[in-house]
């Protein structure tokens, strides 16, 4: 959606002020709720704008804060921390935090956060070479995402298993699985995930020798990235 791109730009412009606000809130325990709200609000911005170094710094500073949170806030914050650790290639740590997010979300009856955490677990299990764990997490995540009827979370929960044939170098099957995920992100109209899935699809099409389709999706993915 256009608003997503506009607000990402606004947040980048305000980044020095957001950082100053974060430091001020952390230094004042009485404002703990506002610190939590700020970090929860920025968790996707870290990922979408590839602010991985900043994310590691913020979440590292917030560890004591997260430990003292109630279960619903822990679900949201552990999910943000897990995806940050995934991009830092600390996969076992990411898996631990995704598990904590899933447990907190389930106990708090937060199906979106629960499905997301399970999706991260599935993605990590595939990356760590644990296909059976990936299937278990994905099956649970799929059940939750169907109840939510939201293409964004359904696409995300299927993303981990979509990478299984990628890592197995079964490029024809990867075209199918990644294509299905890309269609879900198209339905969600989420620019970042459209970019991610479309570029992955283009790569797999190129590896099968379908240069025309690969070029089309590479250019489409580039358009999303530029936006």
């Amino acid at each position: 959606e256009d608003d997503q791109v506009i607000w990402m730009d606004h947040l980048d412009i305000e980044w020095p002020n957001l950082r100053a606000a974060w430091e001020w809130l952390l230094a004042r325990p009485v404002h703990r709720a506002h610190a939590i709200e700020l970090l929860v609000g920025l968790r996707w911005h870290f990922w979408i704008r590839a602010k991985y170094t900043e994310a590691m710094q913020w979440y590292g500073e917030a560890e004591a804060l997260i430990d003292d949170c109630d279960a619903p806030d822990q679900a949201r914050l552990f999910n943000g921390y897990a995806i940050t650790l995934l991009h830092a290639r600390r996969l076992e740590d990411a898996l631990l935090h995704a598990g904590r997010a899933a447990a907190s979300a389930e106990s708090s009856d937060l199906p979106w956060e629960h499905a997301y955490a399970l999706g991260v677990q599935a993605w990590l299990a595939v990356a760590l070479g644990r296909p059976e764990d990936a299937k278990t997490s994905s099956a649970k995540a799929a059940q939750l995402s169907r109840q939510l009827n939201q293409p964004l979370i359904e696409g995300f929960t299927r993303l981990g298993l979509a990478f299984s044939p990628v890592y197995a170098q079964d490029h024809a099957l990867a075209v199918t699985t990644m294509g299905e995920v890309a269609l879900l992100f198209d339905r969600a109209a989420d620019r970042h995930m459209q970019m991610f899935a479309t570029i992955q699809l283009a790569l797999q099409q190129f590896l099968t020798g379908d240069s025309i389709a690969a070029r089309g999706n590479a250019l489409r993915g580039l358009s999303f990235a530029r936006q």
Side-chain angles (χ1 to χ4, degrees), residues 31 41 73-74 90 140 160 168 175 193 195 197 205:
H31 293 296
D73 284 330
Q74 282 188 333
R90 289 172 51 183
K140 293 180 182 176
V175 167
M193 296 312 297
M195 172 198 71
Q205 289 170 326

Side-chain angles (χ1 to χ4, degrees), residues 2-209:
D2 290 339
D3 283 354
Q4 183 186 46
V5 177
I6 291 169
W7 279 102
M8 291 297 106
D9 290 341
H10 286 333
L11 290 172
D12 275 347
I13 291 168
E14 294 295 331
W15 197 252
N17 292 328
L18 292 168
R19 177 64 201 180
W22 172 246
E23 292 175 357
W24 189 89
L25 291 168
L26 276 186
R28 292 162 176 81
V30 69
H31 293 296
R32 186 182 72 169
H34 295 299
I36 293 168
E37 185 179 4
L38 179 59
L39 188 53
V40 168
L42 289 174
R43 57 185 177 160
W44 310 128
H45 187 67
F46 286 124
W47 184 16
I48 293 172
R49 289 295 209 220
K51 293 180 178 290
Y52 305 139
T53 301
E54 292 95 329
M56 283 299 298
Q57 179 183 354
W58 285 53
Y59 280 107
E61 293 166 346
E63 283 186 347
L65 181 72
I66 297 171
D67 285 339
D68 290 337
C69 286
D70 59 17
D73 284 330
Q74 282 188 333
R76 298 178 180 98
L77 292 172
F78 279 133
N79 266 334
Y81 206 171
I83 202 72
T84 296
L85 289 163
L86 186 157
H87 284 97
R89 303 301 298 167
R90 289 172 51 183
L91 302 188
E92 292 289 356
D93 289 336
L95 190 60
L96 174 64
H97 283 70
R100 296 179 73 179
S104 296
E106 185 173 19
S107 69
S108 305
D109 194 24
L110 296 174
W112 197 99
E113 299 291 342
H114 192 190
Y116 186 88
L118 290 168
V120 175
Q121 284 182 305
W123 190 353
L124 288 162
V126 169
L128 289 164
R130 302 171 190 170
E132 293 307 313
D133 289 348
K135 289 177 183 177
T136 299
S137 295
S138 288
K140 293 180 182 176
Q143 183 179 7
L144 285 167
S145 65
R146 282 194 294 269
Q147 293 171 3
L148 291 166
N149 193 28
Q150 295 179 16
L152 174 62
I153 192 62
E154 184 179 354
F156 187 83
T157 58
R158 292 174 61 176
L159 188 58
L161 280 187
F163 271 107
S164 289
V166 173
Y167 295 152
Q169 299 187 45
D170 185 345
H171 304 300
L173 180 57
V175 167
T176 299
T177 59
M178 202 59 69
E180 291 170 350
V181 169
L183 285 173
L184 286 166
F185 291 135
D186 281 344
R187 284 176 51 202
D190 183 284
R191 304 287 180 83
H192 177 252
M193 296 312 297
Q194 283 177 295
M195 172 198 71
F196 187 88
T198 301
I199 291 172
Q200 294 295 331
L201 175 58
L203 176 58
Q204 297 308 310
Q205 289 170 326
F206 173 75
L207 292 170
T208 63

